[in-house]
Amino acid sequence: MKIAVMQFPGTNCEYECLVSAREVGMAGELFRWNRPAAEMSAFDGFIVPGGWSYADRIRAGAIASKEPVMDALREEAAKGKPIIGICNGFQILVESGLLPGTSGNGKVEMALAQNVMISNKKIVRRGYYVDWVTIRHDASPRRCSGSFDINKGELLQIPIAHGEGNLVTMEKGLIQKLNDEGQVVFRYCDSSGRTIPEFPVNVNGSTENIAGICNPEGNVLGMMPHPERAFFNWQLPPHDPRKHQMGAVGPGRKIFESMKRYIEARA
Amino acid sequence: MSTINLRVWLIIPDAEAATVKNTLIRRMGCGDILADVKKERLFSIDVDSGDPEVLAKAFAKELVNENKESHKVLIDTLSFEGAYVPVKVSLHIEDGEAISTRDRLRNRLGFKNVMSVKKATIWKLYLKGDDKERAAKEIAEGLLINPHKDSYEILSLAEDASLSR
C-alpha cells in the first residue's frame, strides 16, 4: 500500500502527512508537482497537503489546479483511489472541480472564500485564523475514504490555520444536494456537537458550518482542519488531558487510519 | 458626490502577474492569444464633500507604498492607456478588505467624507489576434475568477464603459 503526498511550490506539512501515513502502516513518498504525472498510477492513494501553493497567487489553490499533475489526479480519482485534500489541498481540489464533483464534468461549483467571522449578526473579525476547533462527523461510516472508520456524530478536535475557508456557492440547490447525498463530511461545532452558525464555533463563516466535503463516490475528501497536526497526542494543546496520557493518540490519526482501511476494503 | 479612482501598480517585478502569465501560456494553451500580463489594484472611493484632488493625494499617502508602487488618480472617470485589454475583477460577495479600508480612512484617519470604498484588481491583458474581447473572456473565466465569489468586467480601452460582464 503506497501513498503519494503531493508537493507543490509553497506546500506545507507534507512531511507531517507522510509521517502520519507511515505511522498507520502505509508506505509513502513525496510526489513533486513537476514529476512525470504518469508515475501517479503506481500509488494507491493521494494526500494533497496544506500550505500556500504558488503563494496563493490570484486565489488559494487556483494556480496549482492548472498543473498537469492535476489531470493525472483526476484520472486516479476516477479509478476510485482515495484522495484527501487538507486546507490548501482542499482549496486545490475545489478549484480543479474534483470537489464537490456533482457536475461530473470538472466544473468549479463552489469557492473557499476569505474568512468572515460573525457574532451576534456582526462581523467581528476577518482573515487568517489559527485555533483548535471541534468538528462533527456528519457522514455515515464507510461513506468517505478519509472518514471510513469514523462513526456518524463523532467529534474530533483538530487545528485549523487558514484565511480562505469560507465555503460559498452560487449553484442553486448544491448545499441541499450535498446534504441529501451525505457529501457533507465534517461541520464545525461546539464541544457538545452543536453546529452554532456564529463565531467562534463557525470559525470562518462557512455555509452551514461545513468544514469538509467528499465527492459523490466518496473517495475524494477535502477538509480545512489539519489532521496531521493532531496525529500524535503530544501535538494536542496543553489543556487536553490526552496530551500526557501514556498510549493516547491524537484525533487526527483517524483520518489516516480511515484512508488505510478504505484502501484495504477496496482491494 | 465624487468618485476618486486610485490606480496602483508595482514598480518592482510583479510575481503574481508573472505567475498568471506563465500559467496561461504554459498550462492553459493561451500562447497564441496572449503576449503579456500586467496587474494593477484599483480603489474607487466615494466622497460626499471636499476637494477630490486634495483628498486623492491624502488617500494615496495611506494606500500606496511609494517604495514599491506607483499610482494614478482619476476623478469621476476611469480610463486606461496602452495596447491591452483591462479586465476588472472584484468580489461579488462582501469585500472585507474594502470595508476595512473604508473604516480605516473614516474612523482611524478622520476622513468622515468617505462614503464607500470599492476594491478591484485590474488585469491588463496584452492580447494577440482580432477577437480580443473573446480572448479576454476566456482568460477571465478560465483563471482570473472563481464565479462563486468573483465577478469580472472587460473594460474598453480609454473608455469607462464596459464591453461585457
Side-chain angles (χ1 to χ4, degrees):
Chain A
M1 192 183 300
K2 199 167 151 194
I3 297 299
V5 178
M6 311 300 294
Q7 189 185 44
F8 294 96
T11 291
N12 73 15
C13 281
E14 64 269 52
Y15 289 94
E16 287 86 340
C17 285
L18 196 54
V19 167
S20 300
R22 287 174 177 164
E23 279 289 322
V24 299
M26 298 187 285
E29 62 183 80
L30 295 183
F31 195 101
R32 288 171 68 96
W33 84 103
N34 54 2
R35 203 166 138 180
E39 293 178 13
M40 288 179 73
S41 61
F43 294 88
D44 301 302
F46 304 89
I47 297 171
V48 190
W52 292 263
S53 59
Y54 292 94
D56 285 352
R57 286 172 192 162
I58 307 185
R59 60 188 176 277
I63 300 293
S65 74
K66 306 298 181 192
E67 289 290 345
V69 78
M70 291 306 296
D71 293 329
L73 198 63
R74 275 188 205 91
E75 288 175 22
E76 299 305 313
K79 294 175 190 169
K81 292 183 183 179
I83 299 171
I84 299 177
I86 299 165
C87 195
N88 187 231
F90 184 15
Q91 294 160 339
I92 294 169
L93 296 178
V94 166
E95 284 287 338
S96 64
L98 268 164
L99 284 175
T102 61
S103 70
N105 60 10
K107 182 184 169 192
V108 177
E109 297 172 278
M110 57 174 51
L112 289 161
Q114 288 82 355
N115 296 347
V116 181
M117 292 74 158
I118 298 165
S119 181
N120 293 323
K121 296 180 181 174
K122 278 188 177 175
I123 295 170
V124 293
R125 188 176 173 145
R126 293 188 184 85
Y128 198 81
Y129 192 67
V130 179
D131 202 359
W132 284 83
V133 298
T134 304
I135 53 173
R136 188 180 73 200
H137 183 235
D138 265 13
S140 303
R142 305 174 77 87
R143 172 68 180 91
C144 166
S145 62
S147 66
F148 200 71
D149 258 359
I150 304 176
N151 292 322
K152 188 167 186 176
E154 197 170 334
L155 308 184
L156 306 173
Q157 285 79 41
I158 296 183
I160 56 153
H162 61 256
E164 297 176 38
N166 172 12
L167 191 153
V168 293
T169 180
M170 299 298 285
E171 294 283 324
K172 280 186 181 170
L174 178 66
I175 298 297
Q176 188 59 49
K177 190 174 183 184
L178 297 181
N179 283 320
D180 292 345
E181 300 296 325
Q183 286 181 248
V184 177
V185 180
F186 294 114
R187 291 184 207 270
Y188 301 108
C189 66
D190 68 6
S191 56
S192 307
R194 292 176 302 170
T195 52
I196 298 162
E198 296 205 326
F199 184 79
V201 173
N202 187 345
V203 282
N204 52 27
S206 188
T207 304
E208 293 194 7
N209 287 43
I210 294 173
I213 59 168
C214 67
N215 66 342
E217 294 77 19
N219 61 314
V220 183
L221 166 70
M223 60 189 293
M224 289 312 297
H226 281 263
E228 80 284 4
R229 297 184 190 175
F231 185 89
F232 299 102
N233 67 326
W234 52 261
Q235 291 174 302
L236 296 171
H239 57 77
D240 193 313
R242 291 170 294 183
K243 189 175 180 76
H244 302 293
Q245 271 173 20
M246 288 291 286
V249 297
R253 184 181 180 102
K254 290 193 170 185
I255 304 295
F256 298 91
E257 285 177 339
S258 288
M259 187 183 199
K260 185 188 176 202
R261 286 279 299 116
Y262 179 85
I263 295 169
E264 287 169 347
R266 278 187 77 231
Chain B
M1 177 85 81
S2 298
T3 300
I4 298 167
N5 286 307
L6 202 59
R7 287 174 50 193
V8 183
W9 61 90
L10 285 170
I11 51 177
I12 59 172
D14 185 340
E16 185 172 41
T19 302
V20 167
K21 180 184 172 185
N22 282 341
T23 302
L24 287 166
I25 291 175
R26 294 182 188 173
R27 302 298 188 221
M28 298 177 68
C30 295
D32 51 347
I33 57 169
L34 182 72
D36 201 5
V37 178
K38 290 182 181 171
K39 186 195 78 190
E40 292 184 1
R41 289 188 297 147
L42 173 68
F43 294 96
S44 297
I45 305 166
D46 289 333
V47 292
D48 66 354
S49 61
D51 182 342
E53 298 283 355
V54 174
L55 286 169
K57 279 185 187 167
F59 296 158
K61 265 188 157 182
E62 299 302 326
L63 302 174
V64 180
N65 182 341
E66 291 188 350
N67 296 300
K68 61 175 184 174
E69 291 173 325
S70 187
H71 73 282
K72 183 173 183 176
V73 173
L74 296 156
I75 310 292
D76 291 328
T77 185
L78 180 60
S79 59
F80 295 90
E81 63 296 314
Y84 57 83
V85 175
V87 179
K88 180 182 166 186
V89 174
S90 54
L91 288 173
H92 62 66
I93 60 172
E94 187 187 62
D95 188 341
E97 205 176 323
I99 293 169
S100 297
T101 303
R102 183 200 62 193
D103 291 349
R104 184 170 128 210
L105 293 173
R106 272 184 72 89
N107 304 331
R108 277 211 251 155
L109 300 169
F111 293 105
K112 296 295 182 192
N113 43 3
V114 171
M115 304 311 292
S116 73
V117 175
K118 292 187 188 113
K119 203 176 141 285
T121 301
I122 305 291
W123 292 98
K124 296 153 70 170
L125 305 178
Y126 293 79
L127 298 167
K128 306 175 204 168
D130 296 329
D131 198 347
K132 291 187 168 56
E133 188 183 341
R134 185 176 169 176
K137 192 168 184 281
E138 274 177 28
I139 288 170
E141 293 177 7
L143 183 65
L144 303 183
I145 67 156
N146 179 320
H148 301 284
K149 67 184 183 81
D150 303 311
S151 58
Y152 74 97
E153 198 175 350
I154 300 170
L155 305 174
S156 60
L157 292 171
E159 291 285 337
D160 60 353
S162 63
L163 292 172
S164 67
R165 275 177 195 278

